[in-house]
Amino acid sequence: MKKSGLFAFALAFLTMPGIAASQDAATGRTMLILDGSGSMWGQIDGRAKIEIARRAIGDMLSDWPESRDIGLMAYGHRREGDCTDIEVLADPAPLDRARLRGLMQSVSPRGKTPIGATVEAASKTLASEDVPASVIVVTDGLETCGADLCALGDDLAQRGTPLTAHVIGFDVEDAEGQLACLAQATGGQYLSAANAESLTDALQEVSQPEPAPEPTGPLLVDDFDRAELGSGWVVQNADPSGFILEDSALMTMTVEDGYMGKPDQPNVFLWREAEMPEGDWEISADFTARMGEVQTLGGRRAIVQVGRYADPQTYVVAELYRQGNSNDDMWLKLLAVSGGTSSEATLEIAGDVRGFDLGQILRDFEQKGATLSLVKTGRDYRARLSLDGWTLQDGGPDVLETDPVTVLRSKGTPAIFAGTMGPEQTLTWFDRVEVIGPAR
């Protein structure tokens, strides 16, 4: 099977209602947070820290990426002893260097250091648009208003659109690691700066986006070009009457209705020798499938799954399934199960109404095939279906993708399964399984 479009990240498939395109991670929004507490009048080498900070930030803005919006907040600059003294001086917007420099001149230090509340306020402002977001905090002191920065970092990391916090400790000792904890929990950097030069260097480091990874091929591939499955695979609850390697494909046949995650489900295939990379990745499987014919009152409830599986209580899978109800519709689904608790994102992709020729779709899945993928980007997981030179309806996309589901940690091994949710027989041929990293 040819894998059309598998290595392309920019997926243009908004021509079909309800189909979501991938986020464009090349742009984003940043909120710069400037410490306006009274201690910023302290001096280093004969210059006030607030003046050093303004100059260093100005240098950072000279090289700021034009594609990324930036805003400005300050705390402690209007009232003494007030933990609510937090102000948005400029909402995130295309870079206006002169305006931001002027606004920084208006910050006259005098108050407390409510870092946690300010970062929380910044996160709400940045969340108004669903794009990558970050904050850059420049502070010469620790939190003085009672916030637990480690807990805040953990909370930010669990949100649907995570916020990355970079924290620069300017002439401050972070003995208990609170500033570092906030940064590290959100995937950001904590940098310490002792003078004007090191502050300038730290701001430059956190302000420049990391270069995009070079395109890579598959890290691991199995094309099943052999007579036996081999020791690299473990078959959970194996029933040898339900699978065979033939013509460079793993052919599976329904033995008992069910799904990956059902404790006693026969013939769940676990790729034990495949070690998952750190960071972003993709598990994909090329397949063809015989999922029945169109029937007057619904049809076969077929299912194909590709994912990462640890045990029946812990797994993340991409699913293609034929509902088999009165509309006989088909769905793409991302299912994440952790400790028995599930989260999911579903996308209806075809049916026997609304212009779909379900009979032709079923023939194309059997004769032309597709690629089903579980894609991890950051903490977000998506199910993706890439069609092999055909579409579900005229003018439709050849790549479909669910909305993301956030999972803090996943574990387990790559896994594949195909079967039915009813008594009918389903046949699936897996031609190739890959682990790709980094995910695109």
Side-chain angles (χ1 to χ4, degrees):
M1 174 188 299
K2 292 190 298 182
K3 305 186 71 177
S4 61
L6 179 61
F7 294 99
F9 177 49
L11 306 175
F13 50 88
L14 290 178
T15 56
M16 182 178 184
I19 305 300
S22 297
Q23 298 278 336
D24 179 6
T27 60
R29 310 173 85 209
T30 295
M31 184 69 80
L32 174 65
I33 299 175
L34 178 59
D35 186 345
S37 64
S39 58
M40 285 290 281
W41 282 124
Q43 294 192 352
I44 296 176
D45 298 330
R47 294 174 60 198
K49 287 188 277 187
I50 185 63
E51 295 175 358
I52 295 173
R54 290 175 186 143
R55 178 64 179 271
I57 293 170
D59 291 343
M60 177 191 75
L61 295 177
S62 296
D63 297 324
W64 189 260
E66 296 291 341
S67 62
R68 195 185 334 160
D69 290 354
I70 184 170
L72 177 64
M73 294 179 68
Y75 57 76
H77 64 295
R78 296 175 297 181
R79 298 180 294 274
E80 295 182 7
D82 186 352
C83 286
T84 67
D85 183 10
I86 299 167
E87 184 179 13
V88 178
L89 297 169
D91 287 319
L95 178 63
D96 184 338
R97 293 183 180 88
R99 179 170 182 252
L100 291 177
R101 285 172 174 143
L103 289 170
M104 285 191 293
Q105 291 297 324
S106 70
V107 176
S108 180
R110 68 182 63 196
K112 295 181 74 66
T113 310
I115 297 171
T118 307
V119 171
E120 180 65 57
S123 73
K124 294 177 181 177
T125 298
L126 292 164
S128 62
E129 294 187 20
D130 189 17
V131 296
S134 62
V135 297
I136 298 174
V137 182
V138 178
T139 178
D140 82 327
L142 303 176
E143 169 72 37
T144 61
C145 291
D148 183 336
L149 300 187
C150 291
L152 174 61
D154 289 339
D155 181 58
L156 292 171
Q158 296 179 44
R159 298 184 184 178
T161 304
L163 177 75
T164 302
H166 302 293
V167 183
I168 300 174
F170 183 31
D171 190 36
V172 59
E173 289 291 333
D174 186 25
E176 296 183 1
Q178 280 276 306
L179 300 178
C181 189
L182 171 61
Q184 293 164 5
T186 61
Q189 297 184 72
Y190 172 72
L191 299 172
S192 180
N195 52 36
E197 181 180 3
S198 58
L199 178 60
T200 299
D201 290 344
L203 283 165
Q204 290 291 336
E205 183 170 346
V206 300
S207 66
Q208 298 301 314
E210 295 184 4
E214 292 295 324
T216 63
L219 300 178
L220 300 161
V221 177
D222 193 337
D223 57 11
F224 302 111
D225 188 15
R226 55 189 182 276
E228 299 293 338
L229 195 55
S231 61
W233 289 83
V234 172
V235 185
Q236 181 174 279
N237 302 315
D239 185 339
S241 67
F243 68 92
I244 191 172
L245 267 68
E246 187 174 74
D247 296 330
S248 297
L250 169 61
M251 179 181 177
T252 70
M253 181 180 67
T254 300
V255 176
E256 178 182 329
D257 66 300
Y259 51 89
M260 189 186 306
K262 183 180 177 183
D264 57 352
Q265 180 62 47
N267 296 345
V268 176
F269 299 91
L270 308 178
W271 197 6
R272 290 295 192 193
E273 72 176 4
E275 295 185 7
M276 297 302 297
E278 296 293 331
D280 298 344
W281 45 258
E282 175 180 334
I283 304 170
S284 68
D286 295 352
F287 72 96
T288 54
R290 187 182 298 167
M291 296 184 283
E293 300 177 352
V294 178
Q295 300 178 16
T296 303
L297 297 175
R300 184 173 306 173
R301 301 184 66 193
I303 184 170
V304 180
Q305 296 178 301
V306 174
R308 188 176 193 185
Y309 183 90
D311 56 59
Q313 299 294 310
T314 308
Y315 58 94
V316 185
V317 294
E319 301 180 353
L320 169 70
Y321 63 96
R322 181 180 174 189
Q323 189 81 344
N325 55 15
S326 58
N327 289 331
D328 206 6
D329 44 13
M330 299 185 73
W331 295 75
L332 181 64
K333 178 178 178 179
L334 188 287
L335 175 64
V337 178
S338 178
T341 301
S342 64
S343 302
E344 62 184 53
T346 57
L347 179 67
E348 185 177 8
I349 60 173
D352 64 353
V353 294
R354 299 182 304 282
F356 292 101
D357 184 346
L358 185 59
Q360 183 60 53
I361 290 169
L362 293 172
R363 288 190 291 274
D364 284 339
F365 270 117
E366 180 176 355
Q367 297 169 9
K368 299 178 181 178
T371 300
L372 182 62
S373 304
L374 172 67
V375 182
K376 175 183 180 290
T377 308
R379 297 180 181 88
D380 287 341
Y381 292 73
R382 293 175 174 85
R384 180 186 296 164
L385 180 68
S386 304
L387 305 175
D388 190 15
W390 59 281
T391 59
L392 296 169
Q393 62 181 163
D394 291 342
D398 62 0
V399 179
L400 312 173
E401 191 171 272
T402 66
D403 287 336
V405 170
T406 300
V407 179
L408 294 186
R409 298 179 181 87
S410 67
K411 60 182 181 178
T413 187
I416 54 177
F417 173 78
T420 180
M421 299 293 287
E424 302 90 356
Q425 186 183 79
T426 297
L427 295 176
T428 301
W429 292 261
F430 289 105
D431 303 301
R432 180 182 176 96
V433 181
E434 297 181 343
V435 175
I436 302 167
R440 295 161 312 284

